[in-house]
PDB file of all heavy atoms in Angstrom:
ATOM      1  N   GLU A  44      -4.529  12.362 -14.062  1.00  0.00           N
ATOM      2  CA  GLU A  44      -4.184  10.948 -14.265  1.00  0.00           C
ATOM      3  C   GLU A  44      -4.251  10.614 -15.745  1.00  0.00           C
ATOM      4  O   GLU A  44      -5.203  11.047 -16.451  1.00  0.00           O
ATOM      5  CB  GLU A  44      -5.195  10.053 -13.520  1.00  0.00           C
ATOM      6  CG  GLU A  44      -4.928   8.578 -13.757  1.00  0.00           C
ATOM      7  CD  GLU A  44      -5.753   7.635 -12.933  1.00  0.00           C
ATOM      8  OE1 GLU A  44      -6.702   8.082 -12.224  1.00  0.00           O
ATOM      9  OE2 GLU A  44      -5.516   6.392 -12.985  1.00  0.00           O
ATOM     10  N   LEU A  46      -4.908   8.029 -18.630  1.00  0.00           N
ATOM     11  CA  LEU A  46      -5.685   6.811 -18.762  1.00  0.00           C
ATOM     12  C   LEU A  46      -5.630   6.379 -20.197  1.00  0.00           C
ATOM     13  O   LEU A  46      -5.962   7.187 -21.092  1.00  0.00           O
ATOM     14  CB  LEU A  46      -7.166   7.061 -18.279  1.00  0.00           C
ATOM     15  CG  LEU A  46      -7.245   7.348 -16.761  1.00  0.00           C
ATOM     16  CD1 LEU A  46      -8.518   8.153 -16.482  1.00  0.00           C
ATOM     17  CD2 LEU A  46      -7.251   6.021 -15.980  1.00  0.00           C
ATOM     18  N   ASN A 103      -0.642   4.772 -14.633  1.00  0.00           N
ATOM     19  CA  ASN A 103      -0.950   3.497 -14.071  1.00  0.00           C
ATOM     20  C   ASN A 103       0.088   2.445 -14.454  1.00  0.00           C
ATOM     21  O   ASN A 103       0.452   2.346 -15.591  1.00  0.00           O
ATOM     22  CB  ASN A 103      -2.340   2.957 -14.526  1.00  0.00           C
ATOM     23  CG  ASN A 103      -3.468   3.890 -13.944  1.00  0.00           C
ATOM     24  OD1 ASN A 103      -3.840   3.738 -12.793  1.00  0.00           O
ATOM     25  ND2 ASN A 103      -3.930   4.844 -14.740  1.00  0.00           N
ATOM     26  N   GLU A 135       0.924   4.989 -10.296  1.00  0.00           N
ATOM     27  CA  GLU A 135      -0.259   4.437  -9.573  1.00  0.00           C
ATOM     28  C   GLU A 135      -0.221   2.902  -9.604  1.00  0.00           C
ATOM     29  O   GLU A 135      -0.086   2.308 -10.675  1.00  0.00           O
ATOM     30  CB  GLU A 135      -1.540   4.923 -10.204  1.00  0.00           C
ATOM     31  CG  GLU A 135      -1.854   6.372  -9.968  1.00  0.00           C
ATOM     32  CD  GLU A 135      -3.310   6.726 -10.269  1.00  0.00           C
ATOM     33  OE1 GLU A 135      -4.131   5.829 -10.482  1.00  0.00           O
ATOM     34  OE2 GLU A 135      -3.570   7.955 -10.213  1.00  0.00           O
ATOM     35  N   THR A 137      -2.300  -0.408  -8.170  1.00  0.00           N
ATOM     36  CA  THR A 137      -3.580  -0.686  -7.533  1.00  0.00           C
ATOM     37  C   THR A 137      -3.361  -1.504  -6.229  1.00  0.00           C
ATOM     38  O   THR A 137      -2.471  -2.335  -6.187  1.00  0.00           O
ATOM     39  CB  THR A 137      -4.588  -1.451  -8.429  1.00  0.00           C
ATOM     40  OG1 THR A 137      -3.949  -2.639  -8.842  1.00  0.00           O
ATOM     41  CG2 THR A 137      -4.951  -0.626  -9.607  1.00  0.00           C
ATOM     42  N   ILE A 164      -1.238   4.744  -4.039  1.00  0.00           N
ATOM     43  CA  ILE A 164      -1.967   3.448  -3.938  1.00  0.00           C
ATOM     44  C   ILE A 164      -3.299   3.700  -4.498  1.00  0.00           C
ATOM     45  O   ILE A 164      -4.093   4.542  -4.037  1.00  0.00           O
ATOM     46  CB  ILE A 164      -2.095   3.072  -2.425  1.00  0.00           C
ATOM     47  CG1 ILE A 164      -0.698   2.900  -1.792  1.00  0.00           C
ATOM     48  CG2 ILE A 164      -2.928   1.797  -2.291  1.00  0.00           C
ATOM     49  CD1 ILE A 164      -0.743   2.626  -0.286  1.00  0.00           C
ATOM     50  N   ASP A 165      -3.629   3.019  -5.603  1.00  0.00           N
ATOM     51  CA  ASP A 165      -4.824   3.231  -6.389  1.00  0.00           C
ATOM     52  C   ASP A 165      -5.953   2.325  -5.850  1.00  0.00           C
ATOM     53  O   ASP A 165      -5.702   1.273  -5.296  1.00  0.00           O
ATOM     54  CB  ASP A 165      -4.558   2.916  -7.877  1.00  0.00           C
ATOM     55  CG  ASP A 165      -5.541   3.574  -8.807  1.00  0.00           C
ATOM     56  OD1 ASP A 165      -6.445   4.291  -8.336  1.00  0.00           O
ATOM     57  OD2 ASP A 165      -5.393   3.354 -10.015  1.00  0.00           O
ATOM     58  N   ASP A 166      -7.205   2.798  -6.050  1.00  0.00           N
ATOM     59  CA  ASP A 166      -8.388   1.953  -5.738  1.00  0.00           C
ATOM     60  C   ASP A 166      -8.451   1.486  -4.307  1.00  0.00           C
ATOM     61  O   ASP A 166      -8.946   0.403  -4.020  1.00  0.00           O
ATOM     62  CB  ASP A 166      -8.441   0.702  -6.665  1.00  0.00           C
ATOM     63  CG  ASP A 166      -8.410   1.070  -8.134  1.00  0.00           C
ATOM     64  OD1 ASP A 166      -8.842   2.218  -8.422  1.00  0.00           O
ATOM     65  OD2 ASP A 166      -7.975   0.281  -8.956  1.00  0.00           O
ATOM     66  N   PHE A 167      -7.979   2.330  -3.384  1.00  0.00           N
ATOM     67  CA  PHE A 167      -8.040   1.890  -1.970  1.00  0.00           C
ATOM     68  C   PHE A 167      -9.498   1.816  -1.500  1.00  0.00           C
ATOM     69  O   PHE A 167     -10.258   2.774  -1.651  1.00  0.00           O
ATOM     70  CB  PHE A 167      -7.260   2.891  -1.076  1.00  0.00           C
ATOM     71  CG  PHE A 167      -7.226   2.421   0.375  1.00  0.00           C
ATOM     72  CD1 PHE A 167      -6.333   1.458   0.765  1.00  0.00           C
ATOM     73  CD2 PHE A 167      -8.096   2.964   1.289  1.00  0.00           C
ATOM     74  CE1 PHE A 167      -6.301   0.979   2.062  1.00  0.00           C
ATOM     75  CE2 PHE A 167      -8.055   2.516   2.617  1.00  0.00           C
ATOM     76  CZ  PHE A 167      -7.181   1.521   2.996  1.00  0.00           C
ATOM     77  N   ASN A 169     -11.431  -0.755  -2.526  1.00  0.00           N
ATOM     78  CA  ASN A 169     -12.094  -1.614  -3.486  1.00  0.00           C
ATOM     79  C   ASN A 169     -11.548  -3.034  -3.219  1.00  0.00           C
ATOM     80  O   ASN A 169     -10.522  -3.430  -3.737  1.00  0.00           O
ATOM     81  CB  ASN A 169     -11.809  -1.200  -4.898  1.00  0.00           C
ATOM     82  CG  ASN A 169     -12.451  -2.098  -5.931  1.00  0.00           C
ATOM     83  OD1 ASN A 169     -13.162  -3.024  -5.554  1.00  0.00           O
ATOM     84  ND2 ASN A 169     -12.146  -1.854  -7.161  1.00  0.00           N
ATOM     85  N   LYS A 186      -5.332   6.949  -3.060  1.00  0.00           N
ATOM     86  CA  LYS A 186      -6.534   7.190  -3.885  1.00  0.00           C
ATOM     87  C   LYS A 186      -7.693   6.385  -3.392  1.00  0.00           C
ATOM     88  O   LYS A 186      -7.619   5.135  -3.382  1.00  0.00           O
ATOM     89  CB  LYS A 186      -6.230   6.919  -5.367  1.00  0.00           C
ATOM     90  CG  LYS A 186      -5.161   7.783  -5.942  1.00  0.00           C
ATOM     91  CD  LYS A 186      -5.145   7.733  -7.467  1.00  0.00           C
ATOM     92  CE  LYS A 186      -6.291   8.456  -8.099  1.00  0.00           C
ATOM     93  NZ  LYS A 186      -6.242   8.336  -9.567  1.00  0.00           N
ATOM     94  N   ILE A 187      -8.744   7.037  -2.964  1.00  0.00           N
ATOM     95  CA  ILE A 187      -9.873   6.358  -2.365  1.00  0.00           C
ATOM     96  C   ILE A 187     -10.794   5.930  -3.541  1.00  0.00           C
ATOM     97  O   ILE A 187     -11.245   6.758  -4.337  1.00  0.00           O
ATOM     98  CB  ILE A 187     -10.680   7.332  -1.410  1.00  0.00           C
ATOM     99  CG1 ILE A 187      -9.703   8.085  -0.509  1.00  0.00           C
ATOM    100  CG2 ILE A 187     -11.696   6.579  -0.639  1.00  0.00           C
ATOM    101  CD1 ILE A 187      -8.881   7.330   0.431  1.00  0.00           C
ATOM    102  N   ASP A 188     -11.107   4.632  -3.560  1.00  0.00           N
ATOM    103  CA  ASP A 188     -11.881   4.099  -4.660  1.00  0.00           C
ATOM    104  C   ASP A 188     -13.338   4.611  -4.679  1.00  0.00           C
ATOM    105  O   ASP A 188     -13.911   4.917  -3.647  1.00  0.00           O
ATOM    106  CB  ASP A 188     -11.936   2.578  -4.562  1.00  0.00           C
ATOM    107  CG  ASP A 188     -12.444   1.978  -5.847  1.00  0.00           C
ATOM    108  OD1 ASP A 188     -11.748   2.046  -6.884  1.00  0.00           O
ATOM    109  OD2 ASP A 188     -13.561   1.417  -5.843  1.00  0.00           O
ATOM    110  N   ARG A 189     -13.881   4.757  -5.885  1.00  0.00           N
ATOM    111  CA  ARG A 189     -15.181   5.361  -5.974  1.00  0.00           C
ATOM    112  C   ARG A 189     -16.315   4.435  -5.387  1.00  0.00           C
ATOM    113  O   ARG A 189     -17.369   4.944  -5.067  1.00  0.00           O
ATOM    114  CB  ARG A 189     -15.497   5.794  -7.406  1.00  0.00           C
ATOM    115  CG  ARG A 189     -15.725   4.714  -8.380  1.00  0.00           C
ATOM    116  CD  ARG A 189     -16.383   5.307  -9.655  1.00  0.00           C
ATOM    117  NE  ARG A 189     -16.624   4.304 -10.628  1.00  0.00           N
ATOM    118  CZ  ARG A 189     -15.710   3.881 -11.482  1.00  0.00           C
ATOM    119  NH1 ARG A 189     -14.493   4.384 -11.497  1.00  0.00           N
ATOM    120  NH2 ARG A 189     -16.041   2.956 -12.384  1.00  0.00           N
ATOM    121  N   GLU A 222     -11.577   9.413  -5.904  1.00  0.00           N
ATOM    122  CA  GLU A 222     -11.831   9.141  -7.357  1.00  0.00           C
ATOM    123  C   GLU A 222     -13.340   8.986  -7.565  1.00  0.00           C
ATOM    124  O   GLU A 222     -14.057   8.487  -6.674  1.00  0.00           O
ATOM    125  CB  GLU A 222     -11.260   7.727  -7.709  1.00  0.00           C
ATOM    126  CG  GLU A 222      -9.790   7.605  -7.649  1.00  0.00           C
ATOM    127  CD  GLU A 222      -9.353   6.322  -8.247  1.00  0.00           C
ATOM    128  OE1 GLU A 222      -9.532   5.225  -7.630  1.00  0.00           O
ATOM    129  OE2 GLU A 222      -8.793   6.347  -9.366  1.00  0.00           O
ATOM    130  N   GLY A 223     -13.762   9.353  -8.726  1.00  0.00           N
ATOM    131  CA  GLY A 223     -15.191   9.068  -9.107  1.00  0.00           C
ATOM    132  C   GLY A 223     -16.189   9.941  -8.406  1.00  0.00           C
ATOM    133  O   GLY A 223     -17.268   9.547  -8.086  1.00  0.00           O
ATOM    134  N   GLN A 242     -11.101  13.951  -8.061  1.00  0.00           N
ATOM    135  CA  GLN A 242     -11.049  13.470  -9.473  1.00  0.00           C
ATOM    136  C   GLN A 242     -12.399  12.882  -9.753  1.00  0.00           C
ATOM    137  O   GLN A 242     -12.846  11.975  -9.017  1.00  0.00           O
ATOM    138  CB  GLN A 242      -9.952  12.458  -9.610  1.00  0.00           C
ATOM    139  CG  GLN A 242      -9.861  11.871 -10.992  1.00  0.00           C
ATOM    140  CD  GLN A 242      -8.751  10.799 -11.073  1.00  0.00           C
ATOM    141  OE1 GLN A 242      -7.949  10.635 -10.186  1.00  0.00           O
ATOM    142  NE2 GLN A 242      -8.727  10.086 -12.203  1.00  0.00           N
TER     143      GLN A 242
HETATM  144 MG1  LIG B   3      -8.526   3.995  -9.310  1.00  0.00          MG
END
Side-chain angles (χ1 to χ4, degrees):
E44 177 174 7
L46 293 155
N103 291 280
E135 286 197 9
T137 58
I164 299 174
D165 201 0
D166 304 335
F167 184 77
N169 177 4
K186 295 194 75 180
I187 316 297
D188 193 67
R189 69 167 181 276
E222 294 190 287
Q242 176 180 352

